[in-house]
Amino acid sequence: MSGAGGPGAPDEHEGPGDEEQRAGPPYEDGGGRGENGHTGEGAGGSRQAPRRAGGPEPDRPARIPTPRASVEDGGRPLPGLADPGDLTPVPLDLPHDILKSLLGAWALAACSAAETAAVEDHLGSCGDCADEARRLREAVGLLHQPESLDLDPGLRTRVLESCLERRPPRIPVPEWAAPYDAETARLDALLQDFGDAEWHAPVRLRWFEADAAQSRRTTVAGVIAHLLSVDGLIALGLGLEDPLTEVAGAAGPDAVGPEERTEAFWRNSHFPPTRSVRGPWREQSHGLVRTASFTGGHAGGLAVSYGDFELPLHDAMLDRAFECWVHAEDIAEAVDYPYQPPAPRHLNRMIDLATRMLPGALARRRQTGLASPARGRHLGLAGEPGRSLRLEIEGAAGGEWLIPLDSPAAVASADLEVAHVALDGVEFCRLAAGRVSPEEAAVGQVGDREAIRDVLFATAGLSRL
């Protein structure tokens, strides 16, 4: 802004020749300055206009103004505060069509303050727009999926790895026990803030048997009792105390498999399971990891009996990690709480275990008549190549596996590949857990339809109570 005495403003005393003088040097070489850096006669002298070299002294005020004193220093009154009412946006006077077109932006909170005031003022008098605004606001809520308050499942693994790089543990946890350690810790974190109502929330356990969906109703506490009972199979294999011994009559000769042990625990408990079951389950999970660590990881091949079949200890721990995650999702669903899948490296191990169990599951289907011998079945000696299905698992935990179709003892062969199935990693695990039926599994399929159907139903048949 220019004005009298401001930079670049002509002075009212200037004459026709002053313009030429202004083009010269601003100060004389020997000109003195006062304390404030302005020209003057002394420290307290009055300001004078700069003299031009060889020219007369101009009779006008200085063109460079002095620093302006603050209002506080000059004793002048301070400006008053603005009235809060003055800051309220005034609604715009917009036609109905424009206001209706702004409803989407209003629902997304993308309007300016004036536009928002205009839309909200209009909604008070227009019922059609008010209904549309309500529908749009509800639709916006669907755009934001509920996010878990839990941390990323992989964060625990990364933090532990970082700590262990700085100070290696005296007794390290075997790599094959790490998924079980992580999943039990995640489930325990979910349970820690549960009240009585959550512990008694109904949960429906689901699995597949003889190609038919099965289910059993229990509670959150009943699920933890189930995990406690089945994890006891590993405790027995490691020589630890069986949790069923504390339940009168539960540890009978018939309680040998997962289902029998669970039913025995539920049937012989004096009272329905409550929050008190959390302590023994967590103590047992700690004991399993600690004992496996004390062995130095050398006990991974120790056989663990599941009644009608056996698994090496390292696979049994992985199986229990898988079931812990699946039942944690059941519990989270019962209390309407989001729950994330395991870390990709652990999920990949669980998928690998399921694929290694599939050839045996296919053989049992044929033995029980659930699967008829396929056309073109390639029978050969043990260890020889046989017909195979390529299973492609998508996602961060994915990979490719060749599944022998005709015999558990056959060697999978890419040259004898008859079908190709693509499936998401989490979806495959839920199929193996009996949470998704083979017909509902979203898969990409190419090749022998009968072989694909057998593999999908065999995968669902891996599930159990």
Side-chain angles (χ1 to χ4, degrees), residues 14-54:
E14 286 183 350
D18 290 335
E19 194 68 36
E20 182 180 351
Q21 294 176 353
R22 250 196 343 264
Y27 295 103
E28 193 176 33
D29 291 342
R33 294 179 178 235
E35 277 183 324
N36 294 331
H38 301 287
T39 55
E41 297 176 346
S46 61
R47 264 185 338 123
Q48 296 180 356
R51 290 187 299 166
R52 309 295 177 187

Side-chain angles (χ1 to χ4, degrees), residues 17 84 96 102 106 175 182 206 239 285 347 357 371 381 439 443 447:
H96 177 271
L102 289 173
W106 172 83
E175 186 65 25
R206 294 165 288 168
S285 64
L347 191 61
M357 297 176 70
L381 297 176
E439 295 89 348
V443 296

Side-chain angles (χ1 to χ4, degrees), residues 428-448:
F428 174 79
C429 288
R430 287 175 177 155
L431 174 63
R435 297 322 187 255
V436 178
S437 69
E439 295 89 348
E440 296 173 346
V443 296
Q445 307 176 6
V446 176
D448 189 333

Side-chain angles (χ1 to χ4, degrees), residues 115-376:
E115 290 171 339
T116 300
V119 170
E120 293 177 350
D121 184 65
H122 176 67
L123 295 180
S125 58
C126 181
D128 292 340
C129 286
D131 291 340
E132 180 68 14
R134 177 180 56 80
R135 288 192 293 269
L136 290 171
R137 182 59 63 89
E138 291 174 352
V140 168
L142 298 177
L143 298 177
H144 303 283
Q145 296 296 327
E147 296 183 0
S148 171
L149 298 178
D150 297 329
L151 297 176
D152 174 15
L155 179 61
R156 179 179 186 272
T157 301
R158 294 194 297 271
V159 171
L160 286 176
E161 286 180 347
S162 176
C163 294
L164 296 178
E165 286 177 358
R166 295 170 179 263
R167 178 182 292 181
R170 214 161 38 88
I171 304 175
V173 175
E175 186 65 25
W176 45 265
Y180 177 79
D181 185 31
E183 293 309 308
T184 52
R186 289 210 301 145
L187 175 54
D188 188 56
L190 174 66
L191 300 173
Q192 65 181 353
D193 294 327
F194 277 17
D196 291 337
E198 286 84 4
W199 279 100
H200 295 290
V203 179
R204 185 167 293 279
L205 303 180
R206 294 165 288 168
W207 70 97
F208 267 76
E209 187 175 336
D211 288 356
Q214 308 290 332
S215 67
R216 178 68 188 272
R217 185 183 175 92
T218 183
T219 63
V220 170
V223 174
I224 302 303
H226 165 59
L227 292 175
L228 174 69
S229 302
V230 184
D231 286 359
L233 292 171
I234 299 181
L236 288 173
L238 290 173
L240 302 178
E241 183 179 359
D242 185 358
L244 265 65
T245 57
E246 299 182 4
V247 181
D254 296 333
V256 292
E259 184 173 354
E260 295 82 7
R261 290 175 62 86
T262 300
E263 294 288 356
F265 190 99
W266 288 343
R267 183 175 58 251
N268 292 281
S269 297
H270 296 293
F271 303 99
T274 62
R275 65 164 65 237
S276 61
V277 76
R278 178 193 171 200
W281 166 75
R282 193 64 179 122
E283 183 179 350
Q284 177 179 257
S285 64
H286 280 307
L288 295 180
V289 174
R290 184 168 53 248
T291 304
S293 301
F294 284 152
T295 66
H298 302 301
L302 182 69
V304 176
S305 174
Y306 279 71
D308 54 351
F309 67 96
E310 291 185 348
L311 286 177
L313 178 60
H314 60 85
D315 282 345
M317 293 286 282
L318 194 55
D319 169 76
R320 302 313 306 147
F322 174 79
E323 189 159 347
C324 184
W325 161 50
V326 170
H327 287 316
E329 281 199 336
D330 293 337
I331 293 172
E333 182 181 355
V335 298
D336 195 21
Y337 191 86
Y339 200 81
Q340 299 298 319
R345 57 186 293 186
H346 295 164
L347 191 61
N348 179 269
R349 285 173 168 265
M350 298 175 189
I351 294 171
D352 180 71
L353 173 62
T355 59
R356 287 188 280 113
M357 297 176 70
L358 273 177
L362 288 168
R364 287 191 295 272
R365 284 180 58 81
R366 286 190 295 270
Q367 293 168 0
T368 56
L370 294 175
S372 59
R375 293 188 303 271

